[in-house]
Amino acid sequence: MSSITADGHATHAHSSSEFGVGEFITTYVFSRDHKVIGIQFLFSTLLWFLVGGLLAIGIRWQLAWPWSDMPVIGPMLFSAEGGQISPEFYTMLFTMHATVMTFLVIIPILAGAFGNYLIPLMIGADDMAFPTLNMLSYWVMWPAFFLFGGSFFVAGNGASSGWTSYPPLSSVSEAAPGSGLAQTMWLMGLTCVGISSMMGSVNYLTTIIQMRAPGMTMMRLPLTIWGMFITALLQAFALPVLTAAGLMQLLDRVAGTGFFIPEALSVNNSAMAPGGGQPLLWQHLFWFYSHPAVYIMILPAMGMVSDILCCFARKPLFGYKPMVYAMNGIAGLGFIVWGHHMFVSGMNPGLGMTFMVATMMIALPSAVKTFNWLGTIYGGKIEFTTPMLFSLAFVSMFVVGGLSGIFMAATPVDIFIHDTYYIVAHFHYVLFGGTAMAVFGAIYFWFPKMFGRTMNEFWGKTHFLLTFIFLNGTFFTMHILGAVGFPRRLADPYHYETFRHLQPINQFMTICAILMVASQIPFILNFFYSMFFGPKAGRNPWRANGLEWQAPSPPGHGNFDFQPIVYRGPYEYGSPETDEDYYPQTQPPTERGKADVPPTLAAD
C-alpha cells in the first residue's frame, strides 16, 4: 500500500515486530500502522456507502411509483411479488439504509478513517499510542460487516424494526418478518460496532493527550484534532449505555428476559411473553447515545472544514478559541437533549420543556461556528479548489439543516412533524448535505498525503456540481412534504387520499436521487485512476501549515524524517512578515522576511 512507502526520504527505523513490516499479511492486512488502518477504514466505508445509496434508491422507487415493477432487479429480487417491492421489504429498506449509513459509513469514515490517518500526523506523533488495539478496532468491524450483510440473506431479508430498533417490535420475534434472526444479527452487529468504537476512543484520547510533539499545546491543535478529541470523549461516555442496552435487548430475544417487554404481551397470536419491563426505557437508553452520536457524526467534519477553509481562504481562522469552546459546548449540551426525540411518547410537560430549552441552546455554539466560518472566508484570497467547494457546501447545508432543527425543538411543532418527512429532510441535510460534503472535501484535500498523488480538479468539480444540484433537488423538497404532514415509514402513503397529489413531488425527488447516486461515478473513477496515475504531489501541494504537510507524501513508517517541534498555532496564513503567505507550525520565530520555510519543505 502506497501510504507506507518511504518515498526516498530518511525515516525513523523501526523493527518489523513493531509495525509488521516484511510479511504481506502483517503489512497490508493485519497492519498496526495507523495510516494503513485509516485507509482500510476508508475503503470499507466507501463500499458500504455504495450499498447504503442503493438501498435509498429502493426506498425512493417505492414512494415514487408504488407497487410498480422495478426495472432489471425487480424480477430477480421480487419474483414472488411479480417484480414489485413488498410492504415488508420496504420496511427492511428504510431500516437497513439508515443502519448502514449511520453505523457503517458516517461514524467509521470520520472517526475510523480520518481519525486514524490524521491524528498522529497532525500532532507530530509517529503512530497511535496502542497500535495493536488500533488494528483490532478495524478488524472487530468485520463481524459487524458480516452480521449486517448476512441479515439480508436470512428470513425476513434484513432487520425491519427501524434503525432505532424500538421494542416490542424488535424484542419479539413474532412481531414482524424482519423481527426474527435478522433482528438478532442486527443487534449483534451493533454490539461489534460499539466495541470497535470504544477501542478507537481509548486510543485517540491517549494519543492526543500523551503523544503531542514538543510545543504542541492543546491550544495549538488544529480543529480537526479537537473534533476527533471531543468525538472520542462522546464515545467514551455515551457508547457504553447503548452497548449495554443492545445486550439487554439481545437477552430479551434469546434468553427470555424482560428488560423492554411489558407484562403479558402477546403479538400476532403468539404465546404471552415473560415481561414486566418498559419499552420506553429502550428509547431513553438508545437516544442517550444516539443524540450525542449526531455530534460524533458532525464534529470531526466541522474541524476538517475549518482546516480546509483557512487553507484556501489564505487567512487565519476567525476566533480560534471561541471555535474550540463552541465545539465543547455542542458536545456538552448534546448529552442533555436526548428527550427531544421522545416528545410524542407522553413525556411530562415540565420535563419536555427542559429538553426543549436545552435543544434550542445548541443553536448558540452552532451559530458561533457558522459566523466564524463566514468571518474566516470574508475578505480572503479564496481559491475555489474542489476541497474548498465541498467545504463551502458543508457550511451552507449545515445552516439549512440547523435552522430547521431550531423550531423542530419546540414541543408543539415537533408533535405535528415528528413522523413526517420534515424530520427526514432535517436529518439528511445535516448528515448528508453536511457531513458527506465535508467527507468528500477531506478526501480531495488529504488524498495527496495518503497516496502521493493529486486527484483531477476538473472531474472533482464536476462531481461537486452534480452532487450539490441533485442533493438539494432530493432533500429540499422533503421539507415541502413534511410541512403538509406527509408520513414517513409507510410503503404507500397514497392510500390516504389527502396525500395523493404529492406523488409528482416524490417522483421528482426520486429522479434527483438516482442522478445523485450516478453523480458519484466521476468520483469513483477519479479516485482510483488518481491513486495510480494522478500527478505526483510534493510534501505540501496546498501550501498548508499543519504538521502533516511537512511529512513525506505519502509518509513512511514513523511519519516524519525529522523531529517536529511546534512554535506556532495551526492557522498562521496571510502574514505580511513572510515572503510566503503562511508560517508552518514548525517555523521558529524569525526576523522579518527571513528563513520562512524550513529546509525540509524547501528540499521538495
Side-chain angles (χ1 to χ4, degrees):
M1 190 169 290
S2 59
S3 65
I4 60 171
T5 303
D7 196 39
H9 295 278
T11 58
H12 294 299
H14 293 282
S15 65
S16 61
S17 62
E18 183 176 351
F19 283 105
V21 179
E23 296 291 336
F24 177 85
I25 196 165
T26 55
T27 303
Y28 297 102
V29 182
F30 297 106
S31 175
R32 297 190 297 167
D33 188 314
H34 73 97
K35 299 179 292 297
V36 176
I37 295 168
I39 292 174
Q40 287 175 326
F41 267 109
L42 180 64
F43 280 110
S44 299
T45 51
L46 288 178
L47 179 62
W48 280 104
F49 186 65
L50 176 62
V51 173
L54 294 176
L55 292 170
I57 295 300
I59 297 170
R60 293 306 324 159
W61 178 271
Q62 174 64 17
L63 289 172
W65 299 284
W67 319 129
S68 61
D69 296 349
M70 289 189 72
V72 184
I73 64 172
M76 293 188 295
L77 294 179
F78 315 114
S79 56
E81 288 82 22
Q84 303 173 10
I85 294 177
S86 66
E88 296 83 4
F89 197 85
Y90 177 80
T91 307
M92 183 281 296
L93 284 174
F94 68 70
T95 297
M96 294 307 296
H97 165 68
T99 298
V100 166
M101 298 301 281
T102 302
F103 297 118
L104 300 184
V105 178
I106 296 297
I107 293 177
I109 202 171
L110 288 173
F114 288 104
N116 260 303
Y117 196 91
L118 293 176
I119 287 174
L121 283 167
M122 297 184 85
I123 68 173
D126 61 355
D127 207 310
M128 287 288 181
F130 309 114
T132 302
L133 187 67
N134 203 25
M135 175 194 71
L136 291 173
S137 73
Y138 173 70
W139 285 105
V140 169
M141 285 292 291
W142 273 90
F145 296 157
F146 283 117
L147 287 163
F148 284 133
S151 69
F152 290 114
F153 303 100
V154 300
N157 300 116
S160 58
S161 301
W163 79 280
T164 56
S165 192
Y166 279 2
L169 184 64
S170 60
S171 297
V172 181
S173 59
E174 296 85 1
S179 296
L181 178 59
Q183 183 66 30
T184 302
M185 296 173 71
W186 188 95
L187 287 165
M188 295 169 66
L190 182 69
T191 302
C192 292
V193 172
I195 294 171
S196 171
S197 296
M198 282 301 298
M199 290 177 173
S201 171
V202 171
N203 226 342
Y204 297 169
L205 291 172
T206 307
T207 302
I208 295 172
I209 292 171
Q210 295 290 342
M211 299 185 65
R212 302 190 305 275
M216 178 64 84
T217 64
M218 293 297 286
M219 283 302 171
R220 284 177 175 170
L221 290 175
L223 286 189
T224 295
I225 303 302
W226 270 110
M228 298 294 179
F229 181 71
I230 297 169
T231 291
L233 285 173
L234 290 173
Q235 288 176 322
F237 286 101
L239 195 54
V241 175
L242 179 65
T243 304
L247 290 173
M248 291 160 68
Q249 189 174 116
L250 191 61
L251 290 172
D252 279 4
R253 296 181 55 80
V254 302
T257 58
F259 292 108
F260 306 118
I261 300 176
E263 189 71 35
L265 176 70
S266 176
V267 180
N268 287 337
N269 297 318
S270 65
M272 288 189 294
Q278 291 288 338
L280 204 60
L281 175 61
W282 167 266
Q283 295 190 31
H284 281 287
L285 297 176
F286 179 86
W287 287 116
F288 183 81
Y289 164 78
S290 293
H291 194 81
V294 173
Y295 304 113
I296 292 171
M297 292 185 276
I298 198 76
L299 285 170
M302 289 176 169
M304 295 188 298
V305 163
S306 300
D307 285 5
I308 295 171
L309 289 177
C310 290
C311 180
F312 294 112
R314 312 309 300 173
K315 277 185 61 182
L317 182 71
F318 185 88
Y320 172 82
K321 287 186 178 180
M323 291 285 267
V324 171
Y325 299 146
M327 294 175 81
N328 282 277
I330 290 172
L333 288 169
F335 272 104
I336 60 172
V337 298
W338 78 89
H340 66 221
H341 295 274
M342 302 167 58
F343 283 152
V344 297
S345 66
M347 182 182 295
N348 181 291
L351 184 59
M353 178 70 73
T354 303
F355 283 123
M356 180 179 75
V357 173
T359 304
M360 291 181 174
M361 287 178 64
I362 291 184
L364 299 178
S366 299
V368 169
K369 297 191 67 64
T370 300
F371 286 113
N372 282 23
W373 285 324
L374 296 177
T376 298
I377 63 177
Y378 178 77
K381 298 178 181 178
I382 298 177
E383 301 171 4
F384 289 102
T385 61
T386 303
M388 184 65 163
L389 291 172
F390 275 107
S391 296
L392 293 171
F394 168 89
V395 175
S396 58
M397 297 297 93
F398 177 72
V399 169
V400 174
L403 287 175
S404 64
I406 295 175
F407 52 86
M408 280 165 47
T411 308
V413 177
D414 183 79
I415 287 174
F416 173 73
I417 65 176
H418 183 81
D419 269 326
T420 73
Y421 259 78
Y422 207 96
I423 305 295
V424 183
H426 162 76
F427 194 73
H428 282 83
Y429 257 99
V430 173
L431 289 186
F432 188 88
T435 298
M437 294 291 102
V439 166
F440 283 131
I443 290 174
Y444 283 99
F445 186 64
W446 279 290
F447 187 92
K449 187 56 56 180
M450 291 181 175
F451 302 105
R453 298 178 182 271
T454 55
M455 295 180 72
N456 183 278
E457 274 290 298
F458 172 79
W459 288 111
K461 290 175 180 176
T462 301
H463 171 223
F464 163 75
L465 185 64
L466 294 175
T467 301
F468 187 79
I469 291 172
F470 296 127
L471 180 154
N472 284 282
T474 303
F475 299 128
F476 187 81
T477 41
M478 288 183 179
H479 292 92
I480 300 172
L481 295 179
V484 296
F486 190 81
R488 56 197 294 207
R489 304 193 181 101
L490 293 187
D492 185 9
Y494 315 114
H495 175 77
Y496 301 97
E497 186 175 355
T498 187
F499 298 128
R500 289 175 186 170
H501 69 289
L502 300 174
Q503 186 172 358
I505 297 180
N506 269 306
Q507 291 170 346
F508 170 78
M509 291 162 56
T510 299
I511 293 170
C512 287
I514 294 171
L515 292 173
M516 180 171 62
V517 172
S519 299
Q520 309 315 306
I521 295 175
F523 167 73
I524 295 170
L525 296 177
N526 191 5
F527 185 93
F528 286 104
Y529 179 86
S530 299
M531 277 179 60
F532 302 102
F533 305 109
K536 289 187 176 180
R539 296 192 182 211
N540 194 2
W542 305 122
R543 297 178 297 124
N545 66 347
L547 289 184
E548 76 272 26
W549 299 106
Q550 297 176 46
S553 296
H557 290 305
N559 295 337
F560 297 92
D561 48 12
F562 67 101
Q563 173 58 59
I565 300 175
V566 177
Y567 297 95
R568 300 175 181 275
Y571 303 112
E572 295 199 15
Y573 293 98
S575 172
E577 299 181 353
T578 174
D579 295 334
E580 298 287 329
D581 68 343
Y582 70 101
Y583 278 119
Q585 284 192 276
T586 55
Q587 175 62 51
T590 60
E591 297 181 22
R592 180 183 177 90
K594 294 182 180 179
D596 293 312
V597 180
T600 52
L601 290 182
D604 284 347

